[in-house]
Amino acid sequence: MKRKKNMFVHFILDPISISETATEASFAARYGCLVLIENVERLDVGALVSIRGAGRVKISRFLGADPYLSGEVRPIQDRMNYESSNELTSKISQLKESIKNLNSLEIKLKAPADSPLQTRLINSLNWAEDEPPVDFDESFVPSLQERLSFSAFQPISGSTKSELSRLQQEKIKAMDMKDTIERLELSMGLIKENISSIAAKLAIQSLDIR
């Protein structure tokens, strides 16, 4: 893919062991996500950058490190199973409805004044449904169904450290999957757990009010 000024690749470096006698840390690029820069707001110190993930990529090789890492990437997309189109449509509808139900519960939960707005899930859903930029390379754009299958992997209000850690593990599991239906099932399981968690917190909140 040719480099464009409003895009970059965000990736995770995992520590790897070369040998038992190695004295220096070694790392491998496990996952990559092609990212679009949507807005840049200049600040007195640095800048506030709004970005949006476009799709998974595989880093084929690194080409240089000065002034920043550069390399070649290729798109990664789910395997398409057209025989499961009805099942896919049904699961997408269930997921969207469940995300909206969870968000309705979430906004009823009291949160500290300095907490982020309780709309991460809905924003994620809306971004997934947005059409990609006109000048974007289509080979790097996942299908709408694939994009939607990732929309549930957002933290909810009042998440504990252990819940955030588990969410991170679920994200990694979702990135590994190549089957949209399988990821949708993982998403639904996560949403159901979060609905139960928020419902319990709301019950405790109502007791505190009394």
Side-chain angles (χ1 to χ4, degrees):
M1 178 183 182
K2 294 182 178 179
R3 182 171 64 88
K4 294 186 179 182
K5 290 183 178 180
N6 65 334
M7 299 179 194
F8 64 91
V9 172
H10 178 277
F11 62 90
I12 297 173
L13 282 177
D14 284 339
I16 58 173
S17 176
I18 300 297
S19 70
E20 294 181 0
T21 58
T23 57
E24 295 183 0
S26 297
F27 298 88
R30 184 175 184 185
Y31 301 110
C33 180
L34 185 61
V35 171
L36 303 175
I37 300 175
E38 294 193 319
N39 184 58
V40 178
E41 181 183 346
R42 300 292 178 184
L43 305 175
D44 293 337
V45 179
L48 180 63
V49 182
S50 298
I51 61 174
R52 173 186 171 189
R56 291 174 293 171
V57 296
K58 179 174 179 59
I59 300 171
S60 303
R61 62 172 177 155
F62 288 107
L63 300 176
D66 187 23
Y68 45 77
L69 284 173
S70 61
E72 294 180 352
V73 299
R74 61 180 178 81
I76 300 174
Q77 294 188 19
D78 285 351
R79 298 182 292 268
M80 296 301 294
N81 184 359
Y82 295 102
E83 293 179 2
S84 303
S85 58
N86 291 336
E87 182 183 4
L88 186 60
T89 300
S90 174
K91 288 186 181 297
I92 287 290
S93 298
Q94 290 175 30
L95 178 66
K96 290 170 69 173
E97 187 65 27
S98 296
I99 286 177
K100 291 173 183 177
N101 290 339
L102 174 55
N103 184 246
S104 296
L105 286 175
E106 191 177 8
I107 59 178
K108 296 176 182 177
L109 194 66
K110 284 188 176 180
D114 59 349
S115 295
L117 292 176
Q118 296 162 300
T119 55
R120 286 180 174 177
L121 277 168
I122 291 299
N123 287 343
S124 181
L125 184 62
N126 291 338
W127 288 335
E129 292 186 303
D130 280 350
E131 291 295 327
V134 176
D135 62 342
F136 201 76
D137 187 335
E138 290 186 3
S139 65
F140 284 82
V141 181
S143 66
L144 172 60
Q145 293 86 351
E146 182 176 339
R147 298 200 305 271
L148 286 168
S149 72
F150 280 102
S151 59
F153 299 95
Q154 295 292 328
I156 58 173
S157 298
S159 294
T160 63
K161 287 185 178 180
S162 62
E163 287 171 335
L164 291 173
S165 177
R166 174 152 186 271
L167 174 63
Q168 186 65 20
Q169 294 304 312
E170 295 295 282
K171 285 182 178 180
I172 291 173
K173 195 184 298 183
M175 288 284 281
D176 268 335
M177 292 176 173
K178 297 292 181 62
D179 186 289
T180 308
I181 289 179
E182 186 180 359
R183 191 181 304 105
L184 284 167
E185 290 173 348
L186 180 67
S187 298
M188 282 301 301
L190 181 64
I191 290 294
K192 287 178 181 178
E193 287 182 15
N194 285 337
I195 286 176
S196 297
S197 175
I198 291 293
K201 291 173 183 178
L202 284 172
I204 294 172
Q205 177 179 291
S206 66
L207 292 174
D208 289 341
I209 293 174
R210 294 175 189 174

